[in-house]
Amino acid sequence: MVRLYRVFLWVAAFFNVATLIMVLLSIFVRMIGRSLPGLDAYSGYFIAASFFLALAETFHRNEHIRVSILINNLKDPYNRYLDLFAMLAGIFIVGYLTFFSARMVLFSYKFNDISQLPDATPLWIPQLSFVFGMFLLLLSIIQRFIKTINKKGDL
């Protein structure tokens, strides 16, 4: 699983670089008095893709912003109980988002929903990054939950 998270982190990095290229291309094209329709839309799609595809590896590395003042001040095993409860809540919320984002992509595909901008991109294509990112985050949270349960200590 860790390799899968890292692969998608590299894909997210690719989308970051692609965003930079789109922004620089947009600036250059405007400087010469021209315009390329869709550059702003694709920059937005790429930023969203880079954000969502990096979530699982960021969670795996424990680099998400986390308010742990309560967990740090509780004694064992209560801090583990609270941590497990937080992960269960995360599994529920991210699972919900994953399920309904997958439905959104399916509906966008089924009804041929396209962007209202000049690029007229079928919206299910950029929406897939949200589904993949949420699914990978869900796997990452489940993996951490199982590791936390399997740690030695009372539960």
Side-chain angles (χ1 to χ4, degrees):
M1 284 305 213
V2 176
R3 286 185 183 173
L4 182 65
Y5 306 150
R6 195 153 298 136
V7 165
F8 277 94
L9 183 67
W10 281 101
V11 174
F14 166 79
F15 281 115
N16 268 334
V17 172
T19 301
L20 173 67
I21 291 169
M22 290 291 167
V23 169
L24 291 175
L25 184 60
S26 178
I27 292 170
F28 175 74
V29 167
R30 287 180 187 160
M31 284 175 55
I32 61 171
R34 298 276 194 206
S35 71
L36 284 174
L39 285 179
D40 294 336
Y42 281 100
S43 296
Y45 301 151
F46 293 165
I47 288 171
S50 68
F51 173 78
F52 287 109
L53 296 177
L55 285 174
E57 179 68 13
T58 307
F59 182 80
H60 176 74
R61 291 182 183 187
N62 206 22
E63 293 178 354
H64 279 269
I65 296 172
R66 180 175 164 168
V67 180
S68 55
I69 193 166
L70 186 59
I71 290 177
N72 290 342
N73 288 320
L74 287 175
K75 303 261 187 230
D76 286 332
Y78 302 110
N79 59 355
R80 276 185 72 202
Y81 292 141
L82 186 58
D83 200 24
L84 287 170
F85 174 75
M87 282 187 273
L88 278 175
I91 289 169
F92 175 75
I93 292 167
V94 174
Y96 181 85
L97 287 170
T98 303
F99 176 75
F100 283 102
S101 64
R103 281 186 56 192
M104 175 185 67
V105 169
L106 187 62
F107 286 134
S108 291
Y109 178 76
K110 186 176 180 180
F111 296 115
N112 196 27
D113 194 14
I114 60 170
S115 171
Q116 299 300 310
L117 299 173
D119 63 319
T121 301
L123 288 177
W124 66 271
I125 296 170
Q127 290 169 350
L128 277 176
S129 66
F130 183 68
V131 176
F132 285 132
M134 288 289 103
F135 181 71
L136 290 171
L137 179 61
L138 179 63
L139 291 179
S140 184
I141 297 170
I142 291 170
Q143 183 181 19
R144 167 118 17 114
F145 181 78
I146 292 170
K147 280 184 181 179
T148 304
I149 285 179
N150 290 333
K151 283 184 182 175
K152 292 183 181 178
D154 296 328
L155 266 188

